[in-house]
Amino acid sequence: MSRLNIRHSGIGMTSQRTRARMIERLRAQGIVDEVVLGAMSAVPRHIFVEEIFANRAYDDVALPINFGQTISSPFSVARMSELLRAGSSPGKVLEIGSGCGYQTAVLAQFAREVYSIERVGPLLTRTRTRLRELRLNNIRLKHADGVMGLSESAPFDAIILTAAAAHVPPLLLEQLAIGGRMVLPKGNKEQFLCVIEHNAQGYTETIVEKAKFVPMVPGIWKR
Ligand code: SAH
């Protein structure tokens, strides 16, 4: 069942059909988690992109969202969500890099609570409005440098980075609950999607596949 209020979002049958085609393409690309596919068929992706790109919102591409950033492609969002869930929905999730909030809204469909940190202030302002309009009330947004994590709300069952880190930020590892998992694109020129699991013995890292994300940038940006 969807947690969205899409009264406001102006979707008609056209975008519902387009979204259904996106889901079929994701299946063909190897996404199998029905919970993730259900979440992505519920969230109206076109309202997360600028109006001039709305007709390409469901294509399998990353699109510009201003401030030099991009909305992650549907495949990236699906793959990361699937890796994060690994068969069961996390309670408390921390996302680094809210961007336009699309991945955040997808996470909010199956996680109990989503905390999301974004370094670019004006981007976050728009995202806050958009998510409020969708009446997703299990999301908390924060304007901060994500490498610090969010110690006051830690530990997290899952942590997801939507920008590539050269190294795993140590504070994020500390804020990952035992039994929790982190999904991140790691590397500089060459990036790989990695999963880090935290168990009583320590941390284990699995490299999943090649990735292409914008790099993480330190500090915050106001205007
Ligand atoms: N999931 C987002 C991805 C946006 S791209 C979407 O689909 O829209 C990555 C985002 O990470 C950008 O918005 C960028 O500003 C943000 N980011 C980069 N470095 C960061 C940092 N140190 N802390 C918080 N956010 C960061």
Side-chain angles (χ1 to χ4, degrees), residues 69-72 97 99-100 118-120 123 145-146 162 214 216-217:
Q69 303 304 323
T70 52
I71 178 172
S72 305
C100 68
E118 171 57 54
R119 70 176 290 276
V120 178
L123 199 56
D145 183 352
T162 72
V214 295
M216 248 183 126
V217 181

Side-chain angles (χ1 to χ4, degrees), residues 122-157:
L123 199 56
L124 193 62
T125 305
R126 297 198 57 171
T127 297
R128 201 181 286 285
T129 309
R130 197 179 274 133
L131 292 173
R132 199 174 289 148
E133 284 168 356
L134 288 170
R135 298 213 171 43
L136 282 168
N137 51 21
N138 57 341
I139 295 174
R140 305 278 171 275
L141 299 173
K142 185 167 181 181
H143 182 212
D145 183 352
V147 297
M148 309 300 291
L150 202 61
S151 57
E152 63 268 34
S153 304
F156 296 96
D157 303 311

